[in-house]
Amino acid sequence: MAQKEKNIVYIECHCCGEKTPRTSPNRKYCSRCAEKIAKSPTRKRRSKAAERLLDWRDLRGKSLNRVDAEAKAFGLSYGQYTAAVYSGGIDALLRSRGFIDPKAVLMGVKAR
Ligand SMILES: [Zn+2]
C-alpha cells in the first residue's frame, strides 16, 4: 500500500485549504467541507429552484400546440413567448404581466 500512496495527488480544499487526496478530477473540497456544502440550505434551495425553472421553461420536447397554448395562457404570441424563454427574459416578462407563479398557470394549460 505504501507504494500506491506515492501516486496519490493532493489538492487544497477550496473551502478550508486542507490538503486532501484527490479522489476524482472534479474534487474541490475535502470530505468534511464537501459534506457541509452538500447539506447547506443555499445549495439545496438553488438546485430546487433550478429544477423548477428547467421544468417549465424547457420547451424542448413540447409540441408546437403545447407551446402555443402556454403562450396564450400568458397572453403572449408564440413568437413572443419562445423569444422570451430563449433569451432568459421570460421571468421578468411574466412578472411584469402579473404572473407570479408561471408554473401554476402552465399546470392548467391543455394543448389542443
Ligand atoms: Zn475543507
Side-chain angles (χ1 to χ4, degrees), residues 13 15-16 18 30 33:
C13 171
C15 183
C16 68
E18 192 180 288
C30 69
C33 292

Side-chain angles (χ1 to χ4, degrees), residues 6-111:
K6 276 185 186 167
N7 296 325
I8 294 178
V9 178
Y10 286 87
I11 56 150
E12 266 178 35
C13 171
H14 282 214
C15 183
C16 68
E18 192 180 288
K19 288 245 190 297
T20 186
R22 188 173 69 181
T23 49
S24 91
N26 301 326
R27 180 134 198 170
K28 285 188 191 132
Y29 305 103
C30 69
S31 51
R32 256 181 310 158
C33 292
E35 208 175 298
K36 251 194 305 193
I37 287 161
K39 280 183 183 165
S40 83
T42 318
R43 180 74 169 243
K44 272 188 194 161
R45 198 161 47 228
R46 244 183 236 154
S47 65
K48 261 195 189 157
E51 267 173 40
R52 205 159 41 224
L53 290 181
L54 259 184
D55 201 23
W56 73 266
R57 270 181 175 167
D58 196 352
L59 300 181
R60 286 170 303 179
K62 288 180 182 172
S63 71
L64 196 146
N65 277 350
R66 167 78 208 182
V67 175
D68 191 47
E70 289 183 2
K72 290 214 165 55
F74 293 127
L76 298 168
S77 73
Y78 179 88
Q80 284 174 316
Y81 182 55
T82 53
V85 168
Y86 290 125
S87 72
I90 188 70
D91 288 307
L93 179 63
L94 294 183
R95 222 176 296 126
S96 75
R97 286 171 172 251
F99 294 102
I100 308 302
D101 190 356
K103 203 187 171 194
V105 175
L106 292 183
M107 272 165 28
V109 171
K110 285 190 180 69

